[in-house]
Amino acid sequence: MTKTFLIAGAAGGLGRQLVELALRAGNNVLAADLVPEAVPTPAGHGDRLRVCAVDVTSGDAARAAVQSALGEFGGLDVLVNSVGQRIVGSIEDMPEDEFHRSMEINFFGAVNMVRAALPVMRKQRSGRIVNVSTIGGRRAQPGLAAYQSAKWALGGFTEILARELEPVGVHATLIEPGGIRTPWATAPIPMPALHDEYDATVANFVRTYNDNPDVQRGDPAKMAQVILRLVEEPRPPVRLLLGSDAAWLAPLIAQARAGEDDAWREVTLSTDLDGLADFAATPVAQLVRP
C-alpha cells in the first residue's frame, strides 16, 4: 500500500538514499531540508515527490512541513528525522552558542518534527516515526560532547515516545548506526582550538578519525532499505543498531556500565531510609520496570 513519507534531512547521505528508495517502492515523499535545492529529484516519479524547506529548530516550520504533506498527499504515514550536525571541540573550549545550536538541531529538531506529526498520527491511530541517531548516543567520546549529548537525549525521548504511543497504534524506532560512508561523515574534521591539556583526548580523536576507512563502514543505501522494512513491521524494535561497529560496541558499553554499577552496589543500597521493604516487591517497581 502506498505510504506518505515526510523525510527531514532529505539532502543528506542517508536521507537522500531514503528519498530515492521510498519513491522506487511506490510511495509519496515530501523531502524536507534546510537547503531544499540540494534534495535529489529523480525523474520518473511524477506527482509522488514534493520538496520543501524546513528549519527543524523552528516549531512553526515543522508544523508547516506536516501541513505541506497533508496538502500535497492527503495524509502522513511515516516521519523520518535524519537531520544532523557534528561539531567537535572540548566542553571547555567550545563556544557556548555552538553547543546550544548543536542541541537545537540534533535533539530539539527531532522533537519539533515529532510534535508536529503526532496530532495527525494520533487521530488516525496509525503511523511510524523513525529517529536517526548513532551508536554515539550510547558512547562518551571526548570531543563530541555536544553531538553525543543530543543523541543520548534523543534515545531517551524515543523510548518514552514509543511507550506513550503504544496504545495509539503509532510506532517509534531509534536507528543507531555506526559510521556511515556519506559525504558528511567522511569530510575531514578540522582541528578545533583547544587547551593543550586536551591533546590526548579531543585532539587525538580528530587525528584518529580523519582519513580512517574503518570509521565509516556503513552503506547508507542498505540502511535506507532497513528503514523501509521497519515501517512495514507490525512490531518494530524501539532501538535498532546498524553496522558491525555498532554491534561490537553496544555490548561492551553495556558491560562496562553494569560492571561499575555492581562495583558500587553496596554504596548505592546504603542510602535508603531504614526499615523499607525490598523495592523490587513494591507496586511502584512494577510500574517503572523496563
Side-chain angles (χ1 to χ4, degrees):
M1 186 179 71
T2 299
K3 290 180 168 60
T4 293
F5 282 65
L6 169 51
I7 302 172
L14 179 56
R16 176 182 294 264
Q17 291 288 340
L18 186 57
V19 168
E20 296 181 0
L21 288 176
L23 288 170
R24 202 179 304 163
N27 297 294
N28 301 319
V29 175
L30 178 66
D33 201 275
L34 184 63
V35 186
E37 56 270 22
V39 174
T41 54
H45 298 290
D47 294 333
R48 291 190 291 108
L49 173 64
R50 293 289 185 273
V51 177
C52 76
V54 64
D55 177 354
V56 296
T57 65
S58 164
D60 288 341
R63 287 185 286 274
V66 169
Q67 290 305 310
S68 292
L70 298 178
E72 294 288 350
F73 302 117
L76 176 60
D77 302 297
V78 180
L79 168 65
V80 179
N81 287 307
S82 188
V83 176
Q85 180 208 51
R86 178 194 62 203
I87 56 173
V88 177
S90 75
I91 294 171
E92 179 182 358
D93 294 309
M94 185 177 294
E96 183 176 323
D97 60 341
E98 290 187 19
F99 204 114
H100 281 243
R101 178 68 174 164
S102 182
M103 295 296 294
E104 287 289 337
I105 293 171
N106 294 306
F107 175 60
F108 286 107
V111 172
N112 288 337
M113 294 300 299
V114 167
R115 284 170 52 86
L118 282 180
V120 176
M121 293 183 174
R122 173 177 50 79
K123 288 176 183 176
Q124 67 193 21
R125 301 189 72 82
S126 67
R128 301 300 179 99
I129 297 169
V130 179
N131 290 328
V132 179
S133 182
T134 166
I135 185 61
R138 304 188 190 194
R139 293 184 62 216
Q141 175 60 55
L144 291 178
Y147 178 68
Q148 289 187 348
S149 294
K151 295 302 189 179
W152 275 75
L154 184 59
F157 171 78
T158 305
E159 288 195 15
I160 295 168
L161 178 69
R163 293 188 69 181
E164 287 188 0
L165 293 175
E166 194 168 345
V168 183
V170 180
H171 297 283
T173 297
L174 185 81
I175 298 294
E176 298 179 282
I180 310 178
R181 192 73 58 85
T182 66
W184 177 82
T186 57
I189 299 174
M191 185 65 72
L194 300 167
H195 285 84
D196 292 343
E197 290 85 350
Y198 300 118
D199 182 78
T201 53
V202 178
N204 188 55
F205 159 68
V206 174
R207 289 190 293 266
T208 303
Y209 185 96
N210 284 338
D211 301 318
N212 189 339
D214 287 331
V215 175
Q216 299 99 17
R217 305 172 62 89
D219 184 336
K222 291 181 178 180
M223 292 181 179
Q225 289 171 349
V226 169
I227 293 175
L228 285 184
R229 172 185 169 180
L230 280 177
V231 302
E232 301 293 343
E233 290 285 339
R235 297 288 297 176
V238 176
R239 287 179 177 262
L240 180 62
L241 297 165
L242 295 180
S244 60
D245 48 353
W248 180 79
L249 278 164
L252 295 179
I253 295 166
Q255 290 164 16
R257 188 165 295 124
E260 188 169 62
D261 289 345
D262 288 343
W264 288 86
R265 182 172 176 80
E266 184 177 346
V267 174
T268 300
L269 298 180
S270 72
T271 59
D272 278 4
L273 292 166
D274 293 336
L276 296 179
D278 181 11
F279 178 75
T282 67
V284 173
Q286 303 310 307
L287 178 67
V288 301
R289 69 183 300 161

